[in-house]
Amino acid sequence: MNRLLHYSALLLVCGATAGFGQHFTGFTPARQATEEKAEAEFKKHQSSAVFKKHLEALSSVPHVAGTPENERVRDYIAETMRKAGWQVDIYPHDIYLPKGPGEIAVELVEPVRQPLNIREYLFPEDKYSKDPRIMPGWNAYSGSGDVTAEVVYANYGRKEDFEQLKAMGISVQGKIVMARYGGNFRGYKAQFAEAAGAAGLIIYTDPADNGYMKGLTFPEGPQPSESIIQRGSLLTVPYTGDPLTPGEPALPLDGKTKIKRLDPKDVALHKIPVTAIPYGSAIDILKRMTGAKPVPAGWQGGLPFTYRLEGGSALKVRLMVKQEKAMTRIYEVVGTLTGSEFPDEWVIAGCHYDAWSFGATDPNSGTAMLLGLTESLGKLAKTGQRPRRTIKVAHWDAEEFGVIGSAEWAEQFRDELTQKAVAYMNYDAAVSGRMFGASASPSMKKLLIEATQAVEYPDSNMTVYQHWLKQGGRRGGSTVGIASSAPATVVNEPVIGNLGGGSDHIAPYMHVGIPSLNAGTGGPTLYHSANDDLFFYDKFADPTYKMGPMVEQVVGTMALRLANADLLPYDLTRYASDLDTHLKAAEKAIKVYAPTYSIQPVLAAVADLKKTAEAAETARQEYLKAGRTDKLADLNKTMLQLEKAFIDPKGMAFGSWYRSLYASSDPYSGYASWMLPGFLYEASLKSTANLPDLENRYKKAIQTLGERLATFAEGISAGKPASLGGGKK
């Protein structure tokens, strides 16, 4: 009774469209009744103890891709899923990876001789900090070299920062660049530094961005203290995945199928040495800089002195990195729960399992949650409640080195995924705090909202949706949630972000064209540091361990509704409204340098799409309300191809591997989202030369989407049976 009252109140408070007694998108009334029972049963199986057990098993030792420790994590994942009743397949790929940090040294040479610290301190409170397997701070895919040179400070090391240095007459030729983390992907800091002639690059975390200026520092608080180092990959090739096999799966060298690999010499890997240090070491360099020019507005960091652009001739720093690379085997672990009615329609959830150290928040809070999900769904299947569609739970390897494992798997199964994949849902670091947030393709937004309205937020009288709405819709504390394209927001709805770079949705969404989302809870983080461990999780991320079960319930609700709906629960009308927002933003960016430009021809295509989408949605609702289940296979087959309307074989000008006209990661920052990337790349070049071609390509994609929606609606109308269950195929 209390639960029914709760959902009645929810309807009044936030206009919910889901929950018991409410309409589930994509379900007939009879099927919804069955689904409600399945979801109620599913929600009995989550527990904080189970989540904590998995998290401790996964995160008790450092497990970098390519190490024996990571293979033991792989085996734990596989065994857990097998015990839960899932079929488990392990897919090996041979990747060109660094063999480890190799040798690294950062030293002051003049005016004093002083080696600088490149490791986190040992903290008596944190037993994990003493593990001898913790690697020093390092950047994967650094070049090798040993340079002693003067220093130039380049703010965040963004494209515009190097342009501003040049405009101010500051040369980085032959110098070691100091850049702080933030503003862009670290690989682009290296790329821009090398292009400007730098001899080396040192990246550090500035306390103005993360550290004592934000609050108490570790281990007393969750902010980085003076020895905390952000590790990370520098890989910036114009595609995602193994650097030697663009567009093709990096199948095992000893396998039957031979894949042509590039020679590493022919791949644009960084040549200059690059490494990361903590601000406790950076201060020893920056405080000794004596150049005449202070930094411009916005470049001053949080260390207690005026930052300068140049170190001067009296300050010399040595940077040495010797990093070997070699073919390394990685493993994708995929569990399958085969669907009872539509086994060739796949609902996929995934998270990587490799980490820079212990990975308690990033990524393995997501891994632990997904293992709980496989157990909960396995229990349902054992009682005869098998999903109608196939559910796959994928655990990716080598994500930290450049989102590699998931890209190789997507390339390996590209044709099959194109025909069968219903959705890809990414849960990297999905239980990292207590603030819920999400990014999604337009077609997944309604499902996300309905699922969060059907799950209670722990220790409150609110649903996850209400809590999300109350907090302003932002996932708390993330250091990587930079966005260059503003989300398409709706009044009285939480902010649902755009999918950018930085995680395993890239290949499914931007290369294959699968509707995708990225969701979970966030909070303060010691991102990519040695101290993202169980001590940190227990003290700062979620001491209650209640977020794991809550996120599993949201994830499970979405998975079950995608798997069990009669007609796939995509948001059919959202593309038109979101496209309108993003097209107007693109037009505004182009008008900055081409004031007479109008994107009206493409907007006109969106206006037509809106009408078609609304008609398709009306047809779907009437079909389901009437309890019809004829032609399900054909209708869903049409829906599976909606997102593919944006897949353009020509790809983007900045990298043909990125085939989605709708979304890509920002090729200048790496992490950020670019909505309608064809237009945004043209705008970044301040060019109009390719606009006619781009307009035609976008109009064609929008018209194709409209045609597929019309085919869907016509299929419903044409199939109206004389008696339910009959009709033409």
Side-chain angles (χ1 to χ4, degrees), residues 473-496:
R474 288 170 178 81
R475 185 168 170 180
S478 172
T479 60
V480 296
I482 308 154
S484 56
S485 289
T489 55
V490 172
V491 177
N492 297 324
E493 182 182 282
V495 176
I496 301 175

Side-chain angles (χ1 to χ4, degrees), residues 353-369:
Y353 64 95
D354 67 301
W356 284 114
S357 60
F358 298 93
T361 64
D362 177 14
N364 295 129
S365 63
T367 316
M369 179 274 296

Side-chain angles (χ1 to χ4, degrees), residues 61-74 93 95-101 133 135 138 140-141 233 324 326-332 352-359 362-364 396-406:
V61 300
H63 52 284
V64 177
T67 63
E69 290 81 10
N70 204 45
E71 291 184 13
R72 285 195 280 276
V73 169
R74 171 203 68 195
H93 295 106
I95 310 297
Y96 189 62
L97 284 184
K99 292 170 73 173
R133 291 165 291 194
M135 296 176 182
W138 66 296
Y141 293 106
S233 177
E324 291 183 55
M327 299 306 297
T328 305
R329 184 152 293 183
I330 65 167
Y331 303 90
E332 308 353 299
H352 71 99
Y353 64 95
D354 67 301
W356 284 114
S357 60
F358 298 93
D362 177 14
N364 295 129
W396 312 117
D397 202 355
E399 188 272 356
E400 295 294 11
F401 285 84
V403 196
I404 291 175
S406 57

Side-chain angles (χ1 to χ4, degrees), residues 9 107 124 163 180 197 270 308 310 324 362 459 464 486 520 555 584 619 681:
E107 301 174 350
E163 288 169 351
R180 51 179 169 155
H270 305 292
R308 298 170 189 257
E310 296 176 286
E324 291 183 55
D362 177 14
D459 304 321
V464 175
V555 171
K584 287 173 180 173
Y681 186 65

Side-chain angles (χ1 to χ4, degrees), residues 272-314:
I272 63 171
V274 182
T275 202
I277 62 173
Y279 62 76
S281 296
I283 194 171
D284 283 318
I285 299 172
L286 295 170
K287 74 181 180 183
R288 288 181 168 87
M289 293 177 71
T290 58
K293 294 182 181 178
V295 294
W299 287 37
Q300 175 70 34
L303 296 170
F305 43 77
T306 300
Y307 286 30
R308 298 170 189 257
L309 293 171
E310 296 176 286
S313 59

Side-chain angles (χ1 to χ4, degrees), residues 422-435:
V422 169
Y424 176 71
M425 299 177 287
N426 196 53
Y427 298 111
D428 185 357
V431 196
S432 294
R434 296 182 62 85
M435 305 286 277

Side-chain angles (χ1 to χ4, degrees), residues 83-356:
K83 284 180 179 175
W86 293 57
Q87 175 193 323
V88 175
D89 295 291
I90 297 177
Y91 300 93
H93 295 106
D94 285 344
I95 310 297
Y96 189 62
L97 284 184
K99 292 170 73 173
E103 297 176 45
I104 302 169
V106 184
E107 301 174 350
L108 288 172
V109 176
E110 295 179 29
V112 297
R113 286 199 171 273
Q114 180 184 328
L116 300 181
N117 178 44
I118 57 168
R119 289 182 175 271
E120 283 91 352
Y121 297 160
L122 303 180
F123 298 102
E125 306 94 323
D126 182 359
K127 69 178 183 181
Y128 300 98
S129 69
K130 302 174 182 66
D131 194 306
R133 291 165 291 194
I134 296 172
M135 296 176 182
W138 66 296
N139 290 127
Y141 293 106
S142 168
S144 291
D146 189 341
V147 297
T148 299
E150 295 178 27
V151 175
V152 172
Y153 172 71
N155 194 26
Y156 292 111
R158 299 169 298 185
K159 180 171 176 277
E160 58 266 36
D161 294 329
F162 283 100
E163 288 169 351
Q164 191 166 351
L165 281 172
K166 187 176 179 181
M168 291 185 292
I170 306 295
S171 171
V172 302
Q173 187 72 38
K175 309 282 178 64
I176 292 173
V177 169
M178 293 284 294
R180 51 179 169 155
Y181 270 116
N184 62 354
F185 171 60
R186 67 189 77 77
Y188 289 104
K189 301 177 195 293
Q191 183 173 306
F192 299 142
E194 189 170 321
L201 171 67
I202 296 171
I203 315 174
Y204 75 100
T205 299
D206 196 286
D209 305 304
N210 291 282
Y212 55 74
M213 290 188 71
K214 300 290 187 180
L216 293 174
T217 61
F218 187 79
E220 186 182 4
Q223 289 294 325
S225 47
E226 63 179 342
S227 74
I228 302 296
I229 305 170
Q230 183 191 137
R231 292 146 181 79
S233 177
L234 302 169
L235 191 61
T236 53
V237 289
Y239 42 90
T240 295
D242 172 42
L244 304 189
T245 59
E248 296 296 329
L251 297 177
L253 290 162
D254 56 1
K256 290 180 182 177
T257 305
K258 300 302 178 187
I259 299 296
K260 186 179 178 184
R261 285 171 161 84
L262 300 174
D263 188 314
K265 296 194 296 291
D266 298 328
V267 180
L269 300 175
H270 305 292
K271 293 182 174 60
I272 63 171
V274 182
T275 202
I277 62 173
Y279 62 76
S281 296
I283 194 171
D284 283 318
I285 299 172
L286 295 170
K287 74 181 180 183
R288 288 181 168 87
M289 293 177 71
T290 58
K293 294 182 181 178
V295 294
W299 287 37
Q300 175 70 34
L303 296 170
F305 43 77
T306 300
Y307 286 30
R308 298 170 189 257
L309 293 171
E310 296 176 286
S313 59
L315 176 62
K316 300 283 198 316
V317 171
R318 178 188 179 218
L319 168 61
M320 185 275 286
V321 177
K322 185 179 179 183
Q323 186 182 109
E324 291 183 55
K325 301 168 187 73
M327 299 306 297
T328 305
R329 184 152 293 183
I330 65 167
Y331 303 90
E332 308 353 299
V333 187
V334 181
T336 301
L337 194 61
T338 304
S340 60
E341 293 180 52
F342 308 108
D344 287 339
E345 295 176 11
W346 297 353
V347 176
I348 308 168
C351 173
H352 71 99
Y353 64 95
D354 67 301
W356 284 114

